[in-house]
Amino acid sequence: ARAHPEAVGARLQLALAAERLGSAKEAEQELRKLFEAPASRQLAGRRLAEFYERTGRAAQAAKVRAAIEAPPRKLRELKHSGR
C-alpha cells in the first residue's frame, strides 16, 4: 500500500474476495498490511474492524476502532513522552 497508494481500492477488493471465497486468513493479512500503511490506515482500519466483527472477534474490532479513532500524537508530545 505504501508503494502504490492508488492500489488501495484494489487491495481492499482482494481482501473482500478472499473472505468471500473462504480464505479468512488471506483476507486478514491483506487488511492488516493496509492498516499498517499510514496512507490507508483509516479506511483499512474500518474494513479490518468490520472483518473482525463478521468473524466473531469483537475485542479485536474494538482495538482497531480505538486505534483509528485516537487523535494523532504530535511530534512534540512524542519527544516529551520518551523522557
Side-chain angles (χ1 to χ4, degrees):
R2 186 178 282 170
H4 300 287
E6 69 279 358
V8 170
R11 294 181 67 191
L12 287 170
Q13 289 298 319
L14 175 65
L16 181 60
E19 182 183 359
R20 287 181 178 169
L21 292 172
S23 295
K25 184 177 180 178
E26 182 181 340
E28 181 179 7
Q29 288 173 344
E30 193 64 38
L31 289 169
R32 290 203 59 78
K33 285 180 200 173
L34 288 166
F35 177 61
E36 292 169 8
S40 57
R41 186 169 179 80
Q42 292 293 316
L43 179 58
R46 287 192 300 273
R47 298 295 187 270
L48 182 59
E50 292 166 358
F51 169 81
Y52 284 144
E53 288 169 352
R54 284 192 302 275
T55 57
R57 295 183 273 175
Q60 285 178 289
K63 286 180 185 178
V64 171
R65 287 192 192 283
I68 61 174
E69 291 170 0
R73 295 177 70 187
K74 295 178 184 171
L75 182 58
R76 186 175 191 183
E77 292 172 355
L78 292 172
K79 286 180 182 177
H80 291 296
S81 68
R83 292 183 184 174

